[in-house]
Amino acid sequence: MFPPGTGAGPGDGVVAHGYEVARRIVPQRAIDDALRLLHLDLLDQGASAERLGEWLWSLHWFPHLIWRDEITQLAAALPEMWRTGTMCDPQILLQFPHTGPAPDVTFHVDQEPAWAGERRYSHIVGVALSPWRQDNGGLLVEAEGRAVPVELDPGDVVVMAPDLPHSGGVNLTGGVRYGVYFRWLA
């Protein structure tokens, strides 16, 4: 599933835990186009508490923009072997700063959409549009019974096995963390 030579260096244990990090895969122009689309939509459509709350609890931000060229071009920048199968709806994620007591991290395994029938995900690809760090709620994967942070810079990509337990962390910074997930069915 993971092309050789595109992930973390030897000894990082990345592939052994069901994921691989590939650096600088998505061009900066594609990242800027996607962020511009999201920010202009906020300016044009507004960001009411009701609208943001609905997106927050569904974990699907900007559902009306997921098939726009600015989002799908992120997937087009991925190596061909990571674009095999049937692509499901892209998932735009924003993680705002957290308020209140820090919640416990709950890992999950993504569930296929009902329309997939018996088909299962072959892989999940996360594209960082902003830095993903432990302190801003970046991706955590469960490995050997503990939370392992997966830190990414804009344009970096994480490719995960579909059965890898994962979660976002808690954003303790003052910034918003941005990303897009793509899932493919076998």
Side-chain angles (χ1 to χ4, degrees):
M1 169 167 47
F2 308 115
T6 59
D12 289 338
V14 174
V15 175
H17 293 309
Y19 72 95
E20 182 173 7
V21 172
R23 305 284 179 198
R24 296 174 297 281
I25 296 294
V26 177
Q28 185 63 48
R29 177 61 188 203
I31 295 165
D32 289 342
D33 289 348
L35 289 172
R36 180 178 173 79
L37 173 72
L38 302 180
H39 293 154
L40 290 176
D41 186 76
L42 286 173
L43 284 173
D44 185 50
Q45 301 296 318
S48 69
E50 180 181 344
R51 183 180 197 213
L52 293 179
E54 179 183 315
W55 292 350
L56 173 66
W57 291 110
S58 72
L59 298 177
H60 289 272
W61 296 80
F62 303 95
H64 57 290
L65 301 178
I66 60 175
W67 290 108
R68 288 280 302 262
D69 288 344
E70 295 89 335
I71 301 303
T72 59
Q73 73 180 351
L74 300 168
L78 301 173
E80 185 176 336
M81 70 180 307
W82 291 347
R83 293 182 279 122
T84 59
T86 302
M87 189 165 84
C88 297
D89 288 348
Q91 180 187 19
I92 300 169
L93 284 177
L94 277 67
Q95 189 165 9
F96 282 86
H98 181 76
T99 61
D104 292 331
V105 172
T106 305
F107 292 101
H108 69 279
V109 173
D110 291 0
Q111 299 298 306
E112 291 82 0
W115 58 263
E118 296 297 314
R119 294 188 299 165
R120 298 290 167 240
Y121 289 134
S122 59
H123 56 287
I124 300 165
V125 179
V127 176
L129 301 181
S130 66
W132 290 12
R133 303 284 182 263
Q134 190 167 5
D135 68 345
N136 75 352
L139 175 65
L140 300 170
V141 298
E142 187 177 45
E144 300 171 6
R146 63 184 178 90
V148 176
V150 179
E151 296 201 343
L152 304 174
D153 290 318
D156 291 350
V157 173
V158 59
V159 182
M160 301 186 293
D163 59 349
L164 179 67
H166 61 280
S167 177
V170 178
N171 187 346
L172 302 174
T173 71
V176 177
R177 182 175 65 88
Y178 293 85
V180 178
Y181 278 99
F182 297 97
R183 294 166 180 84
W184 279 267
L185 292 169

